[in-house]
Amino acid sequence: MSTVLTPEAAEPKPDAVRPREHYLNVRFGIASWLLTVDHKRIAILYVVGITLMFFVGGAAATIVRVELMTPAGDLVSRDDYNKLFTAHGIIMVFFYLIPAIPAVLGNFVLPMMLGARDLAFPKLNLLSWYIYVAGGVFTIVALLAGGIDTGWTFYTPYSSADSHTHVIVTALGILIVGFSSILTGLNFVVTIHTMRAPGLTWFRLPLFVWSSYATSLIILLGTPVLAITVVLLAVERIWGVGIFDPAIGGDPLLFQHLFWFYSHPAVYIMVLPAMGVVSELVAAFSRKNVFGYHFIAFASIAIAVLGFLVWGHHMFVAGISPYASLIFSLISFLVAIPSAIKVFNWTATLYQGSVSWQTPMLYALGFIGLFTIGGLTGLFLAALAVDLHVSDTYFIVAHFHYIMVGGTVMAYMGGLHYWWPKMTGKMYPEWWGRFSAILIFFGFNLTFFPQFVLGYQGMPRRYHEYVAEFQILNVMSTAGASILAVGYVVPLIYLLWSLGYAKDAGPNPWGATGLEWQTPSPPPTDNFAKTPVVVNPPYTFTAKEAEVVG
Amino acid sequence: MSAESVHHDAHHDAAHHDAVEGQAAAPRSPQAGHSGAHHPALAHHFDSLEQQQEAQSLGMWIFLASELLFFGGLFTVYTVARWAYPEAFAFASGHLVLWLGTLNTVVLLTSSLTMALAVRASQTCELRSLRGYLVLTIVLGVVFLGIKMTEYYLDYREHLIPGPMFSLAGHELPDPLPGGTREFTRHVELYFWIYFTMTGLHALHMIIGIGVLGVLLILARGGRYTTGYFAPIEIAGLYWHFVDIVWIFLFPLLYLIHHGGAA
């Protein structure tokens, strides 16, 4: 360690003239941010990018929901509607859901949880942010130039032969952003393998690290397949080669196989880190050690492995062999086992815990409930006969929003509030935090629960018109979406406010036991004054602590 | 940690500066053991050179696993297409120049040998051999690309480049022709698409590899990789071997499938 001046040196007695040095005030100016290789600053850069994309994707969803208030297609044209839900899907999936937790929360806390000074490849980490931005620019340019109407799934031959929208530019954006997540995943795996602090054995790792590890494996093995698929799609579209288009000798199912080989595991890229966050939150706010640590850890790995074997369940109605469907259906059911193990273990952790109801915990409990609904409706879809009935209906839309929004977004918000004091040194306003967490929970359910009913009754997805009988439920859904929108804007305001006006948080406002809480907030550039030596398991809550903090 | 030092200098306050430095000595002492014998290549966030080399090597292995899946998608497309149109694929494969492909295989395998020798020279701290083997590897890589370009040129002359120019007009088609001439031509064209995509992406990887070796060759001049820090040479070697192995699969799948078929 070549450190000459460790910020820790001045830490015990904060200097009145010069405040304690940490990663935020060590240097100033635009260049100090855009050229930084500090994982904490890069996490902040990602917060900016991801928040921006979240609200762009949210704006598209808003217009979609407003259009669906009435059965007639009266707000936007058919074509524009297609472009809007495509923009919503592409931006939310590739530019928010996939990077959100790994690139923001993972980037910030993972090295600290390992007792490391940085990720293994800091420059690669910065590069991956620039790649993310480049991919985002391509996609936004495609949207501004007129958009794309294929749906986020780019199904051929529509995307390669028929669509007259900006398929190539958007596909290029997705190809580029894929490399960003590959680099992040690579960095995480190497860091977890080689940079754990002395004494930090695999089974002393926090569960967030385990889930980040499993996520990274999926990213590394899935994303390159999407990349080559997008390249081939572009080749077919530009030169009219018959790879996927049956009219010129290609195989359209081949595209779906390749696409879902990535895009189904991508669901686990989105939800596994969320599960990791929730494991941390549930332990910290019930003041209890996680029940069934090993089971939760290995359930993450099991989900990563099984997640690669179920892509065919997106193709039950596409004409794949019934025997293949049978196997895919069976394995899809199996994924429920590790998922349920996690839910049961979180619940068991709560049992007889000293539960407190701070904002992060509200999000965590919201996650458990919503993820359970999303997971159980997933079992409906894994069943071949039921799937035939509800394929391409709002039942599917509701199901995956319960996983994506009810799962990933809830956990991201929970994790953001939980680590906000660590990231900024400031405490967010608790009342507003709880208020918006509750608002989001109710708004979410009002938006998406009616869609289960709509889908079961047969309302197909991706149409801007529908029969009048469906209007009541659609109006409910749109009303819920309005509440949800408010719920997301409120935290944006009070979190920004907290940067300037909120009270200082102190190193460990939650009395949590992770390594990241044993360094000042905000942490010094090197995270720890000296490399910590780990002698305990990750969660060491005791009854005594519960009295003090609870 | 130069960033912090600069910051402190900017707010220079001699007394305070010294005081901070004095205090800093205590927490730093646990690392003092190896901070005395710093290798210049050791990045500040690693504790030791061994840890750094292990991380770099693992990083390359993981990257290659990712690359494997990238090419895996292409091989899947190849398999599906060849399964659908075996006659067209055999026919098209017969139009590649087998001896050039074979020669290129030999060139590439030899470059793997020189690359392995470069890694060894780096580990045994022999700067002259290291630079010599790197140069040889680069030369063999360039020869490979030259031969590949020659093959592409020959394909161009025979109108086998897919696209509007593509034509089988001057070629003798197999006698019981599966499907019509138009379909057959399209399927042959599909083979050539896959051929150009696969060999093109492989060549792109070669170009990147040659660039990396070129940079290492320049950096190696001052003896940077011959004093116990050989990870960059080693991981460049891993990459180079991987690109070779991809070719080992491409060669039979693209060049050797017309045996017993028309040619």
Side-chain angles (χ1 to χ4, degrees):
Chain A
M1 189 179 172
S2 62
T3 313
V4 177
L5 298 167
T6 43
E8 184 72 3
E11 221 275 317
K13 293 177 200 160
D15 197 309
V17 182
R18 206 180 61 205
R20 181 180 66 83
E21 186 175 288
H22 52 71
Y23 83 102
L24 289 170
N25 68 7
V26 62
R27 280 184 298 157
F28 295 97
I30 295 286
S32 79
W33 283 90
L34 293 182
L35 299 176
T36 183
V37 289
D38 181 350
H39 67 99
K40 297 180 288 301
R41 284 188 167 218
I42 295 170
I44 303 291
L45 292 177
Y46 267 114
V47 171
V48 176
I50 275 161
T51 307
L52 203 66
M53 290 312 247
F54 180 77
F55 281 98
V56 173
T62 307
I63 305 174
V64 164
R65 269 328 316 169
V66 174
E67 164 63 60
L68 291 175
M69 272 176 70
T70 57
D74 36 21
L75 179 67
V76 293
S77 69
R78 284 192 184 93
D79 282 343
D80 288 344
Y81 183 81
N82 293 344
K83 290 174 182 173
L84 282 166
F85 72 68
T86 304
H88 170 66
I90 287 175
I91 288 179
M92 287 305 201
V93 168
F94 293 107
F95 294 93
Y96 175 78
L97 290 165
I98 288 176
I101 295 180
V104 174
L105 304 176
N107 238 331
F108 197 92
V109 297
L110 189 101
M112 281 194 269
M113 284 179 163
L114 299 175
R117 289 186 282 278
D118 206 321
L119 287 170
F121 308 116
K123 287 176 198 154
L124 224 50
N125 197 20
L126 180 64
L127 178 65
S128 88
W129 182 74
Y130 277 102
I131 296 176
Y132 171 84
V133 171
V137 166
F138 267 90
T139 307
I140 296 284
V141 164
L143 294 182
L144 294 180
I148 167 176
D149 65 352
T150 61
W152 79 279
T153 50
F154 294 99
Y155 268 19
T156 53
Y158 183 69
S159 62
S160 66
D162 300 325
S163 173
H164 296 295
T165 54
H166 297 277
V167 177
I168 303 277
V169 186
T170 317
L172 201 59
I174 284 161
L175 174 77
I176 293 169
V177 81
F179 286 102
S180 162
S181 39
I182 289 177
L183 293 182
T184 303
L186 188 146
N187 231 333
F188 282 9
V189 172
V190 173
T191 308
I192 294 169
H193 268 283
T194 62
M195 298 183 70
R196 283 169 285 129
L200 189 52
T201 57
W202 282 85
F203 292 112
R204 286 177 182 169
L205 290 174
L207 287 165
F208 181 69
V209 176
W210 274 97
S211 70
S212 297
Y213 186 81
T215 308
S216 304
L217 292 184
I218 306 176
I219 288 175
L220 288 165
L221 299 179
T223 317
V225 177
L226 179 74
I228 191 67
T229 310
V230 163
V231 168
L232 292 171
L233 170 64
V235 166
E236 170 160 317
R237 187 175 165 86
I238 297 171
W239 288 286
V241 192
I243 302 170
F244 302 128
D245 183 354
I248 47 177
D251 182 349
L253 278 186
L254 177 61
F255 178 85
Q256 297 185 24
H257 277 295
L258 290 172
F259 179 81
W260 288 114
F261 182 82
Y262 165 76
S263 294
H264 190 77
V267 172
Y268 300 109
I269 295 177
M270 302 176 217
V271 85
L272 268 173
M275 292 169 157
V277 170
V278 168
S279 301
E280 301 298 323
L281 299 185
V282 167
F285 292 97
S286 49
R287 320 284 332 146
K288 258 187 76 190
N289 303 342
V290 168
F291 184 88
Y293 170 90
H294 290 81
F295 278 91
I296 296 187
F298 281 114
S300 293
I301 305 296
I303 288 174
V305 172
L306 290 174
F308 269 113
L309 306 174
V310 298
W311 79 86
H313 70 212
H314 294 272
M315 301 164 63
F316 284 159
V317 296
I320 60 173
S321 129
Y323 302 106
S325 295
L326 203 64
I327 302 292
F328 280 127
S329 169
L330 176 71
I331 305 175
S332 303
F333 277 112
L334 291 183
V335 181
I337 296 173
S339 309
I341 285 175
K342 284 174 180 264
V343 171
F344 288 134
N345 280 326
W346 293 323
T347 317
T349 307
L350 293 172
Y351 179 66
Q352 292 199 334
S354 175
V355 176
S356 55
W357 305 94
Q358 275 95 343
T359 310
M361 186 58 158
L362 295 181
Y363 280 113
L365 295 174
F367 173 98
I368 296 175
L370 300 179
F371 173 76
T372 304
I373 294 176
L376 288 176
T377 51
L379 291 181
F380 292 29
L381 301 172
L384 290 170
V386 184
D387 185 69
L388 287 183
H389 176 61
V390 294
S391 260
D392 285 328
T393 68
Y394 266 83
F395 193 88
I396 307 276
V397 176
H399 156 70
F400 71 71
H401 279 92
Y402 264 78
I403 302 288
M404 304 287 85
V405 186
T408 307
V409 181
M410 293 294 271
Y412 173 74
M413 294 296 285
L416 192 65
H417 283 80
Y418 180 60
W419 283 301
W420 188 258
K422 182 57 60 183
M423 296 169 88
T424 64
K426 300 289 183 180
M427 193 45 117
Y428 60 86
E430 186 61 45
W431 189 90
W432 283 102
R434 290 183 198 184
F435 170 74
S436 62
I438 292 167
L439 207 61
I440 287 172
F441 183 80
F442 283 106
F444 174 83
N445 280 298
L446 186 56
T447 312
F448 291 105
F449 202 86
Q451 295 185 5
F452 278 125
V453 184
L454 281 170
Y456 198 76
Q457 290 177 348
M459 178 169 165
R461 63 192 285 201
R462 295 183 167 174
Y463 284 87
H464 81 320
E465 295 168 319
Y466 53 86
V467 292
E469 286 86 337
F470 292 139
Q471 188 173 10
I472 301 261
L473 288 165
N474 269 300
V475 169
M476 283 168 71
S477 183
T478 301
S482 316
I483 297 173
L484 202 52
V486 174
Y488 287 134
V489 172
V490 171
L492 181 71
I493 295 168
Y494 69 69
L495 288 179
L496 286 176
W497 173 88
S498 77
L499 292 178
Y501 303 100
K503 64 178 194 289
D504 288 344
N508 190 0
W510 313 119
T513 62
L515 280 181
E516 76 270 28
W517 300 109
Q518 292 168 28
T519 188
S521 309
T525 300
D526 269 356
N527 296 342
F528 301 96
K530 53 180 177 179
T531 306
V533 176
V534 181
V535 292
N536 288 318
Y539 308 103
T540 48
F541 294 102
T542 60
K544 196 179 164 202
E545 268 181 293
E547 283 163 29
V548 174
V549 182
Chain B
M1 289 301 294
S2 58
E4 274 74 3
S5 310
V6 168
H7 178 75
H8 283 281
D9 289 343
H11 299 257
H12 203 259
D13 173 344
H16 187 83
H17 193 90
D18 290 342
V20 172
E21 214 158 0
Q23 285 175 31
R28 193 161 55 95
S29 54
Q31 273 98 26
H34 46 76
S35 72
H38 255 177
H39 194 283
L42 178 60
H44 92 277
H45 60 293
F46 289 110
D47 285 328
S48 66
L49 205 59
E50 295 74 50
Q51 186 192 28
Q52 182 174 342
Q53 304 218 39
E54 190 193 338
Q56 289 170 330
S57 172
L58 181 64
M60 181 49 83
W61 278 106
I62 290 167
F63 176 71
L64 294 183
S66 209
E67 284 268 37
L68 201 64
L69 268 293
F70 182 77
F71 281 101
L74 270 180
F75 282 112
T76 307
V77 169
Y78 170 92
T79 308
V80 169
R82 185 177 158 196
W83 185 271
Y85 314 116
E87 297 88 356
F89 268 52
F91 171 83
S93 170
H95 284 77
L96 300 183
V97 187
L98 181 58
W99 75 270
L100 280 177
T102 312
L103 178 65
N104 242 354
T105 309
V106 173
V107 169
L108 207 55
L109 283 178
T110 313
S111 81
S112 251
L113 173 69
T114 55
M115 187 68 233
L117 290 170
V119 174
R120 167 132 186 99
S122 172
Q123 287 167 342
T124 55
C125 305
E126 294 164 86
L127 179 58
R128 266 182 60 101
S129 312
L130 170 63
R131 298 193 67 197
Y133 286 127
L134 283 179
V135 169
L136 260 179
T137 312
I138 291 171
V139 168
L140 288 168
V142 171
V143 169
F144 176 91
L145 288 175
I147 295 176
K148 199 75 231 154
M149 290 307 126
T150 313
E151 286 188 74
Y152 285 173
Y153 176 68
L154 293 177
D155 295 332
Y156 167 77
R157 290 245 311 241
E158 295 198 32
H159 300 286
L160 294 177
I161 305 271
M165 297 269 294
F166 187 83
S167 164
L168 292 181
H171 301 277
E172 191 186 332
L173 299 180
D175 198 357
L177 196 63
T181 312
R182 197 156 160 253
E183 275 71 34
F184 187 77
T185 307
R186 180 169 283 154
H187 301 154
V188 172
E189 193 182 357
L190 176 60
Y191 167 89
F192 275 100
W193 263 112
I194 293 173
Y195 165 78
F196 279 104
T197 310
M198 284 180 140
T199 56
L201 282 172
H202 179 263
L204 179 68
H205 279 77
M206 292 284 298
I207 293 168
I208 292 170
I210 291 170
V212 168
L213 292 185
V215 171
L216 290 181
L217 180 65
I218 295 166
L219 292 178
R221 201 160 36 179
R224 189 181 160 94
Y225 304 123
T226 40
T227 52
Y229 178 60
F230 49 81
I233 307 287
E234 187 184 79
I235 65 172
L238 285 174
Y239 175 85
W240 193 264
H241 297 317
F242 172 82
V243 177
D244 277 13
I245 291 168
V246 170
W247 178 258
I248 295 303
F249 283 87
L250 290 181
F251 177 64
L253 289 178
L254 294 172
Y255 286 79
L256 302 180
I257 57 174
H258 62 287
H259 273 275

